[in-house]
Structure formats: structure tokens, C-alpha cells
Amino acid sequence: MTDNRPTLAVVGATGAVGTVMRDILSTRQNVWGEIRLIASARSAGRRLSVRGEEVEVLELTADVFDGVDVAMFDVPDEVSAEWAPVAAERGVVVVDNSGAFRMDPDVPLVVPEVNARMTRQRPKGIIANPNCTTLSMIVVLGALHAELGLTALHASSYQAASGAGQAGIDTLHDQLNKVAGNRELGTHPGDVRRVIGSDLGPFPAPLALNVVPWAGSLKNDGWSSEELKIRNESRKILDLPDLKVSATCVRVPVVTTHSVTMHATFENEVTTERAWEILRDAPGVVLYDDPARGEFPTPADVVGTDPTWVGRIRRSLDDPHSLELFVCGDNLRKGAALNTAQIAELLAAELTPA
Amino acid sequence: MTDNRPTLAVVGATGAVGTVMRDILSTRQNVWGEIRLIASARSAGRRLSVRGEEVEVLELTADVFDGVDVAMFDVPDEVSAEWAPVAAERGVVVVDNSGAFRMDPDVPLVVPEVNARMTRQRPKGIIANPNCTTLSMIVVLGALHAELGLTALHASSYQAASGAGQAGIDTLHDQLNKVAGNRELGTHPGDVRRVIGSDLGPFPAPLALNVVPWAGSLKNDGWSSEELKIRNESRKILDLPDLKVSATCVRVPVVTTHSVTMHATFENEVTTERAWEILRDAPGVVLYDDPARGEFPTPADVVGTDPTWVGRIRRSLDDPHSLELFVCGDNLRKGAALNTAQIAELLAAELTPA
């Protein structure tokens, strides 16, 4: 009997997101026929587990896409920019998690809970997956927008080390080892820097016992690339090209799961109760909001789970059109691998004969 | 020769703030005659160093204030509520760092760089010191308001463990010891909770490898006391009773120094350059804002210093009246002991014969 199910390629199978992706593919509904694991020449030949089977990692070449229906890319921007079109030219639908195509008007930027219909409009054969920080909040924001009409957003992020990949995770653990046990640390200027030394990994300052108001690269007028991504991607996903957005991105010493505080303003007046009502039933959202019982999301509880968690919802005291919220989302799952897998599953349903 | 300088009492000399206070009194200009260290009966009799001398800690009683000119209180709200009036009745001017009197209309709430003149209007003989989170940002905000006219503020905090006192510091160090060296931690739901165990100290959730969107006690409509303090105290200090303020307070695994992201809106149009110009010369402020050179404040660099540091200044992309900023201030120094000492020094100047 032939396997009618589509063939999937996972490009970048060995990184921090690739590892979570293999875990997700092993636990979600098995919609794929063959799964090919693809990485750079350096990792080719390794055997990695997916769906309980050992699979040999193949080198990224044009021919490796022969017979592939859908490819999920999690590689640096420049690798996606080069190879996603190569795969698309061979008839593969590419779901790309890099920043290379997100703002391309011919590439839809998709969050299945918010704009699943956009997956069908893909003239280049490429669909983009949003940045992890945008994804940490957009499912909650999309649900509220659908009912209340979003007009403005001010966001501040509390971003995890793994947003900077495996090197970010390793750096944070290395630094924690260095600072732990020294009870004098964190009280004199520069003492944390002295103990941690000059190896800051992918971060511009020590991350252990610190917060760092920087993520990404420097763009015009002092904005970081990460802050502009939140603005541009939220506008595109919500189809609100004039949405007012300002964001400040800050890295915190958390391994995985981004948190975001949001001040969101709507066309309609809002109440906390109405927000609860909307979010209680929203797909992909867990409402966890009872401070009297100590219930609000934190990264330590949210990490490893699929939904976006939301709590600390309050109507702004000076504006009946605005809400304050605190959201947490696993930046490697919903923030990357899970959303990519969800988009790919929409394609699998489209490509699988009824 | 008689010492004409006024006598100072430090009430709460043994806590986290009291320790920093003794350090500050030992390094700033020596405007005080006698300095009495006062604490609860439990700590009375201990000998502590101030201005290079060992001083015996006295028990808090009414008589201990005899001959005192100025008393600085850093004790729990209920202790201040009881004892500050006792001292004031004996002619002592009290500078109180608790929340007991901050919103009392007959008690001025003072930040010397912003509203020093208010120290003279003290019908109860009590002057209040603002909350540490308000103090982490108000010097920067006050300087901008004086030139541009503040109309609204949205703030998100990144608050240090020592905001919860010595117990907060100890808890964070204990938790760091438990999580350090375990490179699997922070990737599965609840794994940090399991390793840390049930001893969360003064925090409602684990703080190591986590952020906790809660500080203070629960007030109406889901607001925390800390969030309302930022709103009420900013309004009072800036003398803007209708200022629009919304804040979300989040605890982060930093020992000392609070950080705050601010979206501030002004009557006048603003530019980043104008904000730099104002803040470069503002007393008590360090402008540290050149991301191209990796220059932005972080707690690890700011801790142990006196000023409020500000960086990441950007004019909002969708509103020429708004700025985004990131500020850091040592919550035990400017956020508590230093501001109290500065107020007390204004009183010393007033009380010292010319």
C-alpha cells in the first residue's frame, strides 16, 4: 500500500528549534509520510530520533528536495534567502522561520489561530513564520482584536536566552555556574561582569543576575531589529497596516519562554470581564488570571507547553478603551517550532487526497 | 567647642536599606553631629559601623528620640505608622521610607531633584520618601516633564529581589545555588519549581530562571499595590493629579537595581535629540545611550551607584509626542537610602545655624 501522506523536510534539524521540532513531530498527529532531516554538511550523517525512529541527517543540497511536498526551514536569514527559493522552485511549499521573507508582500505571515486562510495565498511557494517575540503575544492580541478592534499597542518584553539559540542557553548556564554560591555578588558596580568575564556569548552584557535591554541588531533611530519586528509583523498578521505599535525588548535570565507586558488600546470600550470572556474560549490560549490565588503565568510554569498563557488582565484606570496584560509563550514551541508545524499541518491537509 | 551640627537617628539600621544607609552616611559630606542607630529590641546592643566608628544599636523607644533633630525611618508600614508620630511629637523631623504616610495630603512626598521645595511644607513633621520603583524612574521623568509637560506614562518594571529586603536577596541566592549546574533546567514545565522546592521566600513563585509578574499586595480590580504606588506617587511628586499612568510590575532574578521601560507622552512634540539634551544636564541622571557602541544601562553596571541611568531613548514611531526609554536605578540607594539621606541633608542645611 502506498503512503499517500505528504513528505516533509526539516531544514535545520540540529539546532535549538530543530530539536523541539523533532519532539513536536513525534507527539502531534502523524500527518506526514516520509520525514527528511536536513542540516549543514557539518551535521550530515548524524542519526537523530523523530517519531521514535533513527533518521540520518542529510546535507542541504538542491537534490535533497526531490519528492518533498513541504519543507520547514529553521536556519539563519541568509541560508533561508538562498535555499527557500531553491526548494520552492522544485515544487516544495516552504514554511520559513527566518526573517528573510516575513515582510515580503508576496509571502504570507501566518499564525493559524489568527489568519489561517492566508496560507493559500503563496505566489512564491513560501509562507513565513513570525518572530518568536511576536508569536509570544499575537494569539492573545488576535483574539482580542477580532472582538474589540485593536488600535494601539505598547509592549515590553522579558525575552529568554534560548531566543539566541543553543549558544544563548549554554551562555546562561555557564554564567549561572560562575555566579552561584557568591552571596556578595550583585551589590557592587561591575562585580557580576568581573566574575562572568569577557565571554558573553551572543549577548552584549552579562545575562545572569542582570537584564539586558537589547535583542537583535541596530536599526535606524536607536531601534533594535527585534522591536521593529514586533511592530511590522503585528501589523501584517492582524492586517492593520496603520496600527500604532511601540515595543522595548529586554533579555532576562530565563532559559526558555518569552514574557511580554502589553498596554493594548481598542476601538470599543473594554472591561476585564469581557477580556476574560473572549480569552477563556480563544483557541491556543490559557487564561490564568486569579492573583488572589497566586495565579498568573510565569516562564517556569509555561515552558514546554503549547498555548500562550495570559494573566494580570486589568482595565487601564485612566482609559476605558485600554487593557494591561501579561503573556507568556514558549519561544521554541509556539514561538518557533510549533507554529511552523501548525502551518505545515494546514498544508498537509490541503495536499493529502481526501 | 560644641558641635552645632544636628543629631540624626537612623531607625531600622540593621535591614538591607539600613546597611546601605550606613554606607551612604559614611561616604557623603559629614553634615551630622551625633548619629544614633535604632532598631527593634532583637537587634539592640549590636555594634555597627558608621562613619568609621562602632556605634551601639539602641532599642526603639520614645525616649531614644530625645535630642534628635532628624530621624530617617526604614521599617515596615505599621512600625512607621506607630512611631513616626511619636518622634514628630518630640520635635524630630521624620523622613519616612515606608508606605504609611506617602499619600497623606499633609505629608510631602519628596525627590530632591524634582520637588525639593516641598520639604518645608510639613505640618505633621513628617516627610515621605517614595517607593523604590517610583524612585527608579521619577528623576528622569521629572526632568523631561519640566521641559516638555508629561501627560501619560505606561511603565513596565524589572524589579530586583532586594526590593523584598534581605529575605529577597537570600532567597534569590539560595535558589541560584539550587539551579546552577543543571543544564537541563528551564525546558520542561515545572522543572524549576521542583528543584527549588516550596521555600519561595517573600515571592509568590520561583525567581531564579524565572520572572514573576507580581510585587506587593492585591488591591481592587487585579492591581498590585506596587503598580498603584507608581501611579499615585508619580502624580503626587510631579503635582499632576490627573496624569494618566498604567504600570505592570514584574520581579526579575537580579539582586539589586530596578529597571523600568517607559512609554511617556508629552504636551509638546519631542525628538530623541531634545530628550538627550535635557537628560545630559539633568542632576542625578546619567545618560548612557549609544547602542552602536553597546552602551545602555543594565543593573549589573548601575548597582552601587547613586544616579538614575537612562538609555534606549527613541521617539515613538507613531506619535511625535511620545518617547520610549529604559531606566535603571539602585533600589537600595536612590530607591531608598540615598533619597532619604538627600532629604535629611536638606533638613540639616535648614537646621544648622549659618
Side-chain angles (χ1 to χ4, degrees):
Chain A
M1 200 179 98
T2 336
D3 191 338
N4 278 331
R5 294 173 305 173
T7 294
L8 175 72
V10 180
V11 183
T14 57
V17 173
T19 302
V20 173
M21 182 62 84
R22 287 184 287 110
D23 175 47
I24 283 174
L25 288 170
S26 305
T27 52
R28 289 177 71 87
Q29 204 191 334
N30 191 11
V31 300
W32 305 105
E34 185 190 351
I35 294 182
R36 289 184 201 168
L37 303 182
I38 299 169
S40 64
R42 191 163 42 89
S43 297
R46 283 176 62 185
R47 298 186 69 83
L48 293 174
S49 170
V50 64
R51 294 189 299 191
E53 292 164 28
E54 296 282 300
V55 177
E56 187 177 324
V57 177
L58 306 174
E59 184 183 346
L60 177 57
T61 63
D63 294 344
V64 85
F65 293 107
D66 285 343
V68 170
D69 297 290
V70 176
M72 308 194 297
F73 275 62
D74 192 84
V75 291
D77 290 5
E78 61 279 12
V79 179
S80 277
E82 180 182 349
W83 288 94
V86 170
E89 214 163 75
R90 299 196 166 217
V92 179
V93 184
V94 173
V95 185
D96 181 44
N97 189 33
S98 83
F101 298 99
R102 286 180 191 142
M103 297 316 297
D104 184 327
D106 291 329
V107 172
L109 185 64
V110 175
V111 182
E113 294 88 344
V114 181
N115 64 347
R117 69 188 186 289
M118 296 300 293
T119 50
R120 301 215 171 220
Q121 295 165 40
R122 47 176 199 260
K124 291 192 169 170
I126 301 172
I127 297 169
N129 194 58
N131 173 265
C132 54
T133 314
T134 308
L135 274 169
S136 300
M137 59 178 205
I138 199 74
V139 176
V140 164
L141 214 53
L144 293 170
H145 168 59
E147 297 292 325
L148 302 169
L150 186 69
T151 61
L153 172 70
H154 305 304
S156 295
S157 74
Y158 301 69
Q159 298 188 219
S162 61
Q166 189 61 46
I169 300 175
D170 293 341
T171 297
L172 177 56
H173 281 302
D174 289 348
Q175 293 185 353
L176 284 176
N177 280 350
K178 289 180 182 170
V179 302
N182 184 338
R183 289 179 175 268
E184 298 303 311
L185 272 189
T187 41
H188 301 292
D191 61 358
V192 167
R193 273 191 195 270
R194 257 191 311 279
V195 167
I196 283 176
S198 59
D199 185 7
L200 302 176
F203 308 117
L207 190 58
L209 289 178
N210 207 17
V211 302
V212 182
W214 192 261
S217 57
L218 180 61
K219 301 295 177 186
N220 285 346
D221 302 321
W223 294 90
S224 74
S225 56
E226 194 87 352
E227 290 156 354
L228 297 180
K229 283 175 185 175
I230 290 179
R231 181 166 185 265
N232 296 331
E233 296 181 16
S234 297
R235 288 174 157 198
K236 183 168 176 175
I237 296 163
L238 299 173
D239 196 19
L240 289 171
D242 299 319
L243 182 67
K244 295 179 182 182
V245 183
S246 64
T248 299
C249 289
V250 180
R251 192 80 68 179
V252 296
V254 163
V255 177
T256 296
T257 293
H258 289 351
S259 306
V260 182
T261 58
M262 298 198 286
H263 172 87
T265 305
F266 302 92
E267 283 167 35
N268 296 319
E269 288 203 5
V270 294
T271 61
T272 303
E273 291 69 23
R274 180 75 182 109
W276 283 337
E277 193 178 278
I278 293 167
L279 294 171
R280 193 175 286 123
D281 297 328
V285 172
V286 172
L287 175 67
Y288 191 60
D289 191 13
D290 191 349
R293 303 167 58 132
E295 293 182 356
F296 34 72
T298 81
D301 299 316
V302 167
V303 65
T305 71
D306 286 348
T308 303
W309 295 54
V310 58
R312 297 301 328 280
I313 303 177
R314 291 145 289 155
R315 184 169 74 174
S316 304
L317 288 165
D318 303 302
D319 178 7
H321 290 260
S322 292
L323 291 173
E324 318 298 323
L325 310 99
F326 182 81
V327 297
C328 290
D330 184 318
N331 54 298
L332 300 182
R333 294 181 76 88
K334 184 58 183 177
L338 174 65
N339 197 69
T340 305
Q342 287 174 302
I343 296 170
E345 287 167 9
L346 292 175
L347 296 169
E350 180 189 326
L351 298 172
T352 304
Chain B
M1 203 180 94
T2 336
D3 191 338
N4 277 331
R5 294 172 306 172
T7 294
L8 175 71
V10 180
V11 184
T14 57
V17 172
T19 302
V20 173
M21 182 61 85
R22 287 184 288 109
D23 176 48
I24 283 174
L25 288 170
S26 306
T27 52
R28 289 177 71 86
Q29 204 192 334
N30 192 11
V31 299
W32 304 105
E34 184 190 352
I35 293 182
R36 288 185 202 166
L37 303 183
I38 299 169
S40 64
R42 191 163 42 89
S43 297
R46 282 176 63 185
R47 296 185 71 83
L48 293 175
S49 169
V50 64
R51 295 188 298 191
E53 290 164 28
E54 296 283 299
V55 177
E56 187 176 324
V57 176
L58 307 173
E59 183 182 345
L60 176 58
T61 63
D63 294 343
V64 85
F65 293 107
D66 285 343
V68 169
D69 297 290
V70 176
M72 308 194 298
F73 276 61
D74 192 83
V75 292
D77 291 4
E78 62 278 12
V79 179
S80 277
E82 180 182 349
W83 287 95
V86 171
E89 214 162 75
R90 299 195 165 217
V92 179
V93 184
V94 174
V95 186
D96 180 44
N97 190 33
S98 83
F101 298 98
R102 286 180 190 142
M103 298 316 297
D104 184 327
D106 290 329
V107 173
L109 185 64
V110 175
V111 181
E113 294 88 342
V114 180
N115 64 347
R117 71 188 182 289
M118 296 300 292
T119 50
R120 300 215 172 219
Q121 294 164 39
R122 45 175 200 261
K124 291 193 171 171
I126 301 172
I127 298 169
N129 196 58
N131 172 266
C132 55
T133 314
T134 307
L135 274 170
S136 300
M137 59 180 205
I138 198 75
V139 177
V140 164
L141 214 53
L144 293 170
H145 167 59
E147 296 293 324
L148 301 169
L150 186 69
T151 60
L153 172 70
H154 305 305
S156 295
S157 74
Y158 301 67
Q159 297 188 219
S162 61
Q166 190 61 46
I169 299 175
D170 293 341
T171 298
L172 177 56
H173 281 302
D174 289 347
Q175 293 185 354
L176 284 176
N177 280 349
K178 289 180 182 171
V179 302
N182 185 339
R183 291 180 174 268
E184 298 302 311
L185 272 188
T187 42
H188 300 292
D191 61 358
V192 167
R193 272 192 195 269
R194 257 190 313 278
V195 167
I196 284 176
S198 59
D199 185 8
L200 302 176
F203 309 115
L207 191 57
L209 290 178
N210 207 15
V211 301
V212 181
W214 192 261
S217 57
L218 180 61
K219 301 295 177 185
N220 285 347
D221 302 321
W223 294 90
S224 73
S225 56
E226 194 87 353
E227 290 156 354
L228 297 181
K229 284 175 185 175
I230 291 179
R231 182 166 184 263
N232 296 332
E233 296 180 16
S234 297
R235 287 175 157 196
K236 182 167 177 176
I237 297 163
L238 298 174
D239 196 19
L240 290 171
D242 298 319
L243 182 67
K244 295 180 181 180
V245 182
S246 63
T248 299
C249 289
V250 180
R251 193 79 68 179
V252 296
V254 163
V255 177
T256 296
T257 293
H258 290 349
S259 306
V260 182
T261 58
M262 298 197 287
H263 172 87
T265 305
F266 302 93
E267 282 166 37
N268 297 318
E269 288 203 5
V270 294
T271 61
T272 303
E273 291 69 24
R274 180 77 181 107
W276 282 337
E277 195 178 278
I278 294 167
L279 294 171
R280 191 176 287 125
D281 298 328
V285 172
V286 172
L287 175 67
Y288 192 59
D289 191 13
D290 191 349
R293 303 168 59 135
E295 293 182 357
F296 32 74
T298 81
D301 299 317
V302 167
V303 65
T305 71
D306 286 348
T308 304
W309 294 53
V310 57
R312 298 300 327 281
I313 304 177
R314 292 145 288 154
R315 182 167 76 174
S316 305
L317 289 164
D318 303 301
D319 178 7
H321 290 261
S322 292
L323 290 172
E324 318 298 323
L325 311 98
F326 182 81
V327 297
C328 290
D330 185 318
N331 53 298
L332 300 182
R333 295 181 75 89
K334 184 59 182 176
L338 174 64
N339 198 69
T340 305
Q342 287 174 302
I343 296 170
E345 287 167 9
L346 292 175
L347 297 168
E350 181 190 326
L351 298 172
T352 304

